[in-house]
Amino acid sequence: MKSFMDAYSAVNLMFLLKGLWITVEVSVISIILSYILGGILGFIRYTRIKYFSAIVGFIIDLIRNLPLILIFFFVYFGLPNLGLRIEIIPSSILALTVFESAMLAEIIRGGIESISKGQMEGARANGLTYWQAMRYIILPQAQVRMIPALVSQFISLIKDTSLATIIMLPELMYHAQIIYGQNTNYIIPMFVALAVMYFIVCYALSLFSRYLEKRIAS
């Protein structure tokens, strides 16, 4: 029991919090970038532009069916062989953004397609242009329907940052490994701390999504 509590010394907790900060920082930036890129790709898929949409769809399907860890390897170890060397944190953000954008593109495309075509026809019949109808009629409704799936994917992204330990990203999991690597008695306490910290961050995001969903729907 003593070794269990010793694992939560002030020094160890501060070290874990530093790792948590990196996890949150990388996650937030990746979420923002992947949402923007995923939205663009999803809309391209929805519009079915001849040839272009098919090419984009193929790329999305390719990325979605690759393991994320392989994308981490390619970005951090593969790109330098092509003359492009990227530091650890930007590499992690790039890998997560590429992978999550492909996932979000399909969620966004599906969300838009879930809105009845009659909505667009009715908007056009009332004098709105295609883009006005998308902005004021289709997208607001689709956004509400997409929130649960989007948030679920964002939570997965937060947990997926732990895979970046493979390229030595100093995030939460990496810091925990350093702590219990110095004392194997700290393995279980560190796993408990990791579970609590991941739960707090992910549950806070879930609560925010519920609030946002109610706010948009009202």
Side-chain angles (χ1 to χ4, degrees):
M1 186 64 182
K2 185 178 183 300
S3 63
F4 194 97
M5 297 310 297
D6 287 344
Y8 301 126
S9 66
V11 173
N12 286 349
L13 289 177
M14 286 301 298
F15 192 63
L16 282 177
L17 288 174
K18 287 181 181 178
L20 179 62
W21 172 251
I22 296 296
T23 294
V24 172
E25 180 183 21
V26 169
S27 297
V28 169
I29 296 173
S30 300
I31 284 172
I32 293 171
L33 293 179
S34 62
Y35 182 68
I36 294 171
L37 181 57
I40 295 171
L41 296 175
F43 192 76
I44 291 172
R45 287 274 280 155
Y46 169 76
T47 53
R48 293 185 175 88
I49 303 170
K50 191 174 182 180
Y51 301 126
F52 186 50
S53 292
I55 293 170
V56 170
F58 173 76
I59 294 172
I60 289 172
D61 289 338
L62 176 64
I63 294 172
R64 290 175 67 230
N65 287 284
L66 291 176
L68 176 55
I69 196 167
L70 180 61
I71 298 176
F72 275 119
F73 273 127
F74 177 77
V75 171
Y76 191 67
F77 297 111
L79 289 182
N81 289 325
L82 300 176
L84 182 60
R85 183 173 297 278
I86 308 175
E87 296 300 319
I88 292 175
I89 291 180
S91 291
S92 302
I93 292 171
L94 177 58
L96 286 167
T97 298
V98 169
F99 184 75
E100 294 300 327
S101 294
M103 299 297 184
L104 295 180
E106 288 302 290
I107 293 173
I108 292 170
R109 178 190 62 80
I112 297 174
E113 288 184 344
S114 71
I115 306 301
S116 169
K117 292 182 179 179
Q119 298 275 355
M120 174 62 78
E121 293 170 357
R124 296 300 301 276
N126 281 285
L128 272 66
T129 65
Y130 176 83
W131 296 108
Q132 287 175 329
M134 286 296 300
R135 179 180 178 183
Y136 297 112
I137 306 297
I138 306 301
L139 290 180
Q141 295 180 75
Q143 193 111 24
V144 174
R145 297 187 182 185
M146 288 187 286
I147 287 176
L150 288 174
V151 172
S152 177
Q153 196 60 46
F154 291 153
I155 289 173
S156 294
L157 185 153
I158 293 171
K159 292 182 287 187
D160 285 344
T161 57
S162 61
L163 293 175
T165 55
I166 199 71
I167 61 171
M168 313 300 279
L169 176 71
E171 47 74 67
L172 182 56
M173 181 69 77
Y174 183 77
H175 279 218
Q177 288 175 343
I178 290 176
I179 293 172
Y180 67 67
Q182 297 172 346
N183 188 334
T184 55
N185 291 325
Y186 293 170
I187 292 178
I188 299 300
M190 286 301 104
F191 285 167
V192 172
L194 287 173
V196 170
M197 289 183 175
Y198 277 119
F199 174 78
I200 290 173
V201 173
C202 294
Y203 188 62
L205 182 58
S206 297
L207 291 177
F208 176 72
S209 74
R210 292 175 194 171
Y211 164 78
L212 192 62
E213 193 172 358
K214 291 179 181 177
R215 185 70 181 269
I216 294 176
S218 62

